[in-house]
Amino acid sequence: MSWKYLLSPPEMNAVERELLIDAFDSNWIAPAGPDLEAFEHELASWTGAAAAVGLSSGTAALHLALQAAGVQPGDDVIMPSLTFAASAFAATYLGARPCFVDVDATWQLDAELLAAELAARAATTTLPAAVIAVDLYGAVADLVAIADICRHYGVVLIEDSAEAIGASLDGTSAGRFGWIGVFSFNGNKIVTTGGGGAVISDDVDVVERCRHLATQARVPAPHYEHAEIGYNYRLGNLNAAIGRGQLRTLAARIAGRRWVRATYERLLTPLGGITFQTVPSGCEPNHWLTTICVDADSFGNSPTAILAALNQARIEARPGFKPMHLQPVFANAPMISNGNSDRLFERCISLPSASTLTDDDIGSICDVIARSRQ
């Protein structure tokens, strides 16, 4: 199908093009080079972290973050159920068991449920090896509280900010609240390198540990020498050049996507039965994806019917994430539920969110939604 409006297309400008051509002309066509080093430095500077390492994907970043945290086969890793599968997959790569906790009213990991779960585990000496908090749809979770809870129990916190680069909470960048922060630069993210990811941390040693593992764990020697298993996880220099341009233009895209969400709110809220993700107190989201929650009775039609109408009009929209505890591959994983993840899966729709959308574009999308109930 040829889409009239895409969900979250890459947004490239002359800045990215110039940097990419310069990198190409330099002949650094490898997972090494001056643009990769510069991108890592600029990413660290943007977020305020001490160091960053560019990687081949957000999933690779999660994998290395968990390994650097010392996660071992048989360990438990706690995370929200309402997330993309990479959060859970990365734990399984190390032989660990994903354990799921439900979300709060902002659709983020429920700090109260997490505190109760860690207290119960502490009483039975079954604390997890790590907690992954996910910044869903570009907003930041209640990470001041979550970080305090994890510190109290001595559990490593990893912040999965794959969707939230450029967002902040109380003035602190997404990715900075855990011991390690993780980003994704997939093609549909607000910052893309055409596929890629990164680890950031204020602990320079842990970043260097991830860098070492990502470069096949090669030790200094005139020949190829390996004392442990490594991975081919480094970001390419050409990809990094695009990322440098994306960082320079990020503020404008965030402003554009903020306007997109506000326009959807203005046009859809009067229809009734449609609500939006609550912005947590003190949070400045990057508004990666504007996602609505539809009450079928109040609106007059189901989310499934709305999706069908949008797709028929060549408007790319998708359901909210299917919770991990409902995925067949994790059917036997533990789940601490308050019902929110299940309810949101039944009701949520992510709408086209590019900062390049016009008022007329959004009006056309909202007209399809309005007409779907007639």
Side-chain angles (χ1 to χ4, degrees):
M1 179 186 293
S2 175
W3 297 107
K4 184 177 181 181
Y5 300 114
L6 291 168
L7 185 71
S8 182
E11 298 177 34
M12 298 291 163
N13 294 285
V15 176
E16 291 89 339
R17 179 182 175 84
E18 181 179 354
L19 286 164
L20 176 60
I21 291 172
D22 287 347
F24 180 87
D25 290 344
S26 76
N27 209 36
W28 278 100
I29 316 297
D35 283 285
L36 178 54
E37 293 177 9
F39 178 58
E40 291 170 342
H41 175 77
E42 291 161 11
L43 178 61
S45 178
W46 176 277
T47 59
V53 57
L55 301 166
S56 58
S57 69
T59 305
L62 283 163
H63 183 193
L64 294 185
L66 288 167
Q67 187 162 341
V71 174
Q72 301 288 326
D75 285 343
D76 283 349
V77 178
I78 289 179
M79 65 194 71
S81 183
L82 194 65
T83 182
F84 179 61
S87 310
F89 285 170
T92 69
Y93 298 163
L94 296 169
R97 181 178 69 158
C99 300
F100 303 116
V101 172
D102 221 322
V103 297
D104 61 18
T106 69
W107 309 1
Q108 312 284 0
L109 178 63
D110 190 313
E112 292 184 2
L113 286 183
L114 175 66
E117 175 65 4
L118 291 184
R121 284 172 170 266
T124 57
T125 64
T126 56
L127 283 168
V131 168
I132 298 176
V134 178
D135 297 326
L136 197 71
Y137 295 132
V140 182
D142 187 7
L143 277 160
V144 173
I146 290 169
D148 284 345
I149 293 163
C150 289
R151 275 193 296 270
H152 178 77
Y153 291 102
V155 176
V156 171
L157 173 62
I158 295 169
E159 186 181 355
D160 181 351
S161 296
E163 302 167 5
I165 188 168
S168 64
L169 180 65
D170 296 331
T172 298
S173 170
R176 292 287 312 288
F177 291 90
W179 180 51
I180 302 173
V182 168
F183 294 120
S184 169
F185 307 127
N186 190 36
N188 66 355
K189 295 300 190 293
I190 196 168
V191 167
T192 182
T193 59
V199 161
I200 66 169
S201 181
D202 289 334
D203 186 335
V204 175
D205 289 340
V206 76
V207 173
E208 290 307 310
R209 172 67 176 157
C210 291
R211 191 189 313 276
H212 172 68
L213 291 170
T215 49
Q216 303 286 20
R218 184 181 178 185
V219 299
H223 50 272
Y224 287 100
E225 182 87 12
H226 309 272
E228 59 185 324
I229 302 297
Y231 313 96
N232 185 17
Y233 276 176
R234 286 292 267 146
L235 184 68
N237 193 65
L238 296 181
N239 303 87
I242 296 171
R244 295 182 68 196
Q246 289 273 283
L247 287 179
R248 294 179 191 181
T249 56
L250 175 56
R253 285 194 304 284
I254 291 175
R257 294 199 184 211
R258 182 184 303 116
W259 174 85
V260 166
R261 165 161 166 161
T263 305
Y264 275 126
E265 286 190 72
R266 174 171 59 84
L267 296 177
L268 291 179
T269 301
L271 298 178
I274 293 178
T275 55
F276 292 75
Q277 182 180 14
T278 299
V279 175
S281 176
C283 177
E284 291 289 341
N286 69 9
H287 300 284
W288 171 54
L289 285 184
T290 293
T291 301
I292 60 174
C293 185
V294 180
D295 183 302
D297 292 335
S298 298
F299 176 73
N301 209 345
S302 69
T304 301
I306 295 172
L307 274 169
L310 288 167
N311 291 165
Q312 186 175 13
R314 298 189 295 117
I315 297 167
E316 185 184 20
R318 73 182 187 196
F321 287 122
K322 183 174 184 177
M324 291 300 102
H325 73 278
L326 299 180
Q327 300 284 354
V329 71
F330 296 122
N332 295 320
M335 170 63 181
I336 306 299
S337 177
N338 59 19
N340 283 340
S341 292
D342 299 69
R343 178 180 60 84
L344 291 167
F345 174 54
E346 292 171 355
R347 298 184 177 189
C348 283
I349 301 172
S350 293
L351 300 174
S353 301
S355 66
T356 54
L357 290 170
T358 67
D359 196 80
D360 286 345
D361 293 334
I362 299 174
S364 296
I365 295 166
C366 293
D367 283 346
V368 172
I369 294 172
R371 290 198 306 270
S372 73
R373 63 178 178 177
Q374 295 174 358

